[in-house]
Amino acid sequence: MTGCGGRTTVVHDDSLVAYDFGPGHPMSPLRVDLTMRLAAELGVTGPGGLELVRAPMASADLIGTVHTPSLIETMERLGTRGGHDLAHGLGTDDNPVFRDMHVAGAHVVGATHEAFRQVWSGESVHSASISGGLHHAMRDRSSGFCLYNDVAVGITSLLDAGAQRVAYVDVDVHHGDGVEQIFWNDPRVLTVSLHESGRTLFPGTGWADETGGPDAPGTAVNVALPAGTGDGGWLRAFHAVVPQVLRAWQPEVLVTQHGCDSHVEDPLANLLVSLDGQRSTYGALHDLAHELCGGRWVVTGGGGYAVVDVVPRAWTHLLGIVAGRPVDATTATPEGWREHVRLVAGRAAPYRMTDGRDAAWTPWRGRSTTWLDQAITATRDGVFPALGLPPRDPTL
Ligand SMILES: [Zn+2]
Ligand SMILES: [Zn+2]
C-alpha cells in the first residue's frame, strides 16, 4: 500500500529479454535488464516499492483480438523455420526474424495484458509493463521493432470488459501509429501522440490533421514537433495539449507509453530532451491519472536506444513514480549497478540519476510563430473543437 491508495505493481520476468533481434540491432534487451536491476538496487521494486508480478504468456486467441490469424501464423512459422515475409513486415532490417519470435512477442503481450488486468480489476492502482509499448505494430503487419501491439491488445481487453472511455498518451519520440490506426474509428479510445515530426523521422505520420475516423472525430491527437526540440519546447507542447484533451475526455483509465528516445543522446532520433524533462512528464501523467481516473494508470516502456546511458535511468524514474516513491534526481547510481554495467557492457555507467537540467518551460501563448508554437497551434486548431475545447484560449 502506498500514498497512491492501492497496490502498485510491475509485471516482469527476466525471460522477457528473449525479445532480441540479435547483435547490432538497436533494441538490445539489455535495456530492460539494466532498468530492472537499477530499480531494484534503488529500492523502487521490492519491499515498500513496486510488487513484482510474473508475466504470463499471451495465447494466440488473446493476440488474435487485435492481430490477424495470418500475421500470427506467419510469426510462428518464421520463428521455427526461418525465412522472411515482407508483406507482414518480417525479415526486414527493422524486424529481422529470430528463433521463437512468436513466443517472445506473445510474452510481451502477456506482460502488458496482465498490467491492464491488474488495474481494471482493482488489484493494482498503477501497474507497469516495462518491456511493453510496442506501438508501431499494425493488425496485419509488424513494424519498427514491434512484433505484436501489446498496448492495443490491452486496450481491447478493457473495451471487451465494458470500458467506454480509454485514454492513451504516447510520449515516445516516434508517432504511435499502430495504436492510433487500430482504434482510429473507435469512439471509445482517445489516442494522443507527442513526437518528432514525420518530416524527419519514422514512421512519417502523425500530423495535426489526423484526428480520428468518421465514427470517432476528435479521438486522435497528434503533436508533430520540429527536430531539435529540447526540454522547454517539449514540455510546453505537452502542457499545451495533453492535460486539456484528457480533462475534456474524462477517461476511466489512463494508459501511457514512455519511449525515452526523445533524449538528446538517443542515436535514432533528433530531439534534445533530458532525463529531467522526461521525469517531469512522468509526474504530470501520474497526477492526471489520480485527478481523472481514480488513479487507474497502466504504464509501458517503448523505444529508447541509448541502452546504458539513458534507458535504465529514465525508466527507473518512471517506475519510482508508478511506485508512489519518486527517486530524487540527485541520487547517485549504486556502485553495484555500475559494476554490473562495466561487466556486461564493457563501459562506464552514468554516476547520477539526473542530467542536471531543471526541466523549466514557459506556457504556450498562441501568438508566437516559431516552428514549435506553430506545431502546437496546428494541433489545437485541428482537434480541440471536436473535443469541445476553445483552440486559441491560452489559459486552457
Ligand atoms: Zn499514484
Ligand atoms: Zn520510438
Side-chain angles (χ1 to χ4, degrees), residues 270-328:
N270 315 293
L271 297 193
L272 309 177
V273 176
S274 73
L275 280 178
D276 307 284
Q278 293 174 337
R279 182 174 180 275
S280 86
T281 59
Y282 307 154
L285 290 165
H286 174 240
D287 291 349
L288 285 161
H290 280 287
E291 176 191 330
L292 300 171
C293 310
R296 282 186 291 276
W297 187 27
V298 182
V299 170
T300 72
Y305 308 101
V307 170
V308 171
D309 290 321
V310 176
V311 182
R313 293 185 297 159
W315 288 350
T316 294
H317 279 305
L318 174 62
L319 291 175
I321 285 168
V322 175
R325 50 190 297 180
V327 176
D328 192 288

Side-chain angles (χ1 to χ4, degrees), residues 26-330:
M27 198 155 96
S28 164
L30 189 58
R31 65 202 197 116
V32 172
D33 171 64
L34 294 180
T35 298
M36 294 306 293
R37 283 174 187 272
L38 181 57
E41 290 215 26
L42 287 173
V44 165
T45 56
L50 292 175
E51 241 180 84
L52 204 60
V53 173
R54 294 205 56 184
M57 192 67 68
S59 66
D61 281 351
L62 179 60
I63 299 168
T65 59
V66 164
H67 292 291
T68 59
S70 157
L71 176 64
I72 299 168
E73 285 158 20
T74 305
M75 196 86 67
E76 287 172 332
R77 177 165 47 81
L78 297 184
T80 48
R81 292 191 225 151
H84 62 268
D85 186 319
L86 300 184
H88 291 101
L90 295 168
T92 60
D93 285 351
D94 274 4
N95 313 310
V97 166
F98 63 94
R99 176 154 290 281
D100 293 334
M101 66 196 305
H102 164 77
V103 179
H107 203 181
V108 174
V109 173
T112 299
H113 179 261
E114 174 62 19
F116 276 82
R117 198 198 63 76
Q118 285 283 331
V119 170
W120 190 250
S121 69
E123 288 171 49
S124 299
V125 61
H126 314 321
S127 189
S129 167
I130 216 70
S131 306
L134 304 180
H135 60 167
H136 295 306
M138 300 288 177
R139 288 191 188 277
D140 192 38
R141 179 168 56 85
S142 297
S143 174
F145 317 161
C146 303
L147 296 178
Y148 295 129
N149 198 317
D150 57 300
V151 176
V153 171
I155 292 174
T156 300
S157 73
L158 299 185
L159 300 177
D160 291 346
Q164 289 297 314
R165 301 182 80 76
V166 178
Y168 169 74
V169 176
D170 181 321
V171 296
D172 190 286
V173 78
H174 300 93
H175 175 222
D177 58 342
V179 183
E180 177 185 281
Q181 278 305 307
I182 288 164
F183 301 107
W184 180 249
N185 204 27
D186 191 321
R188 298 169 295 179
V189 182
L190 176 76
T191 64
V192 184
S193 179
L194 183 73
H195 48 263
E196 180 181 334
S197 165
R199 261 184 237 297
T200 44
L201 196 66
F202 177 90
T205 51
W207 305 102
D209 61 0
E210 292 173 27
T211 57
D215 299 330
T219 62
V221 179
N222 286 291
V223 191
L225 301 167
T229 300
D231 283 339
W234 193 68
L235 292 169
R236 176 192 297 199
F238 178 94
H239 288 285
V241 173
V242 175
Q244 291 84 345
V245 299
L246 290 180
R247 288 184 182 123
W249 186 252
Q250 291 288 315
E252 297 155 271
V253 53
L254 179 62
V255 181
T256 56
Q257 194 269 21
H258 296 272
C260 55
D261 38 12
S262 56
H263 194 275
V264 58
E265 289 173 44
D266 193 274
L268 298 193
N270 315 293
L271 297 193
L272 309 177
V273 176
S274 73
L275 280 178
D276 307 284
Q278 293 174 337
R279 182 174 180 275
S280 86
T281 59
Y282 307 154
L285 290 165
H286 174 240
D287 291 349
L288 285 161
H290 280 287
E291 176 191 330
L292 300 171
C293 310
R296 282 186 291 276
W297 187 27
V298 182
V299 170
T300 72
Y305 308 101
V307 170
V308 171
D309 290 321
V310 176
V311 182
R313 293 185 297 159
W315 288 350
T316 294
H317 279 305
L318 174 62
L319 291 175
I321 285 168
V322 175
R325 50 190 297 180
V327 176
D328 192 288
T330 60

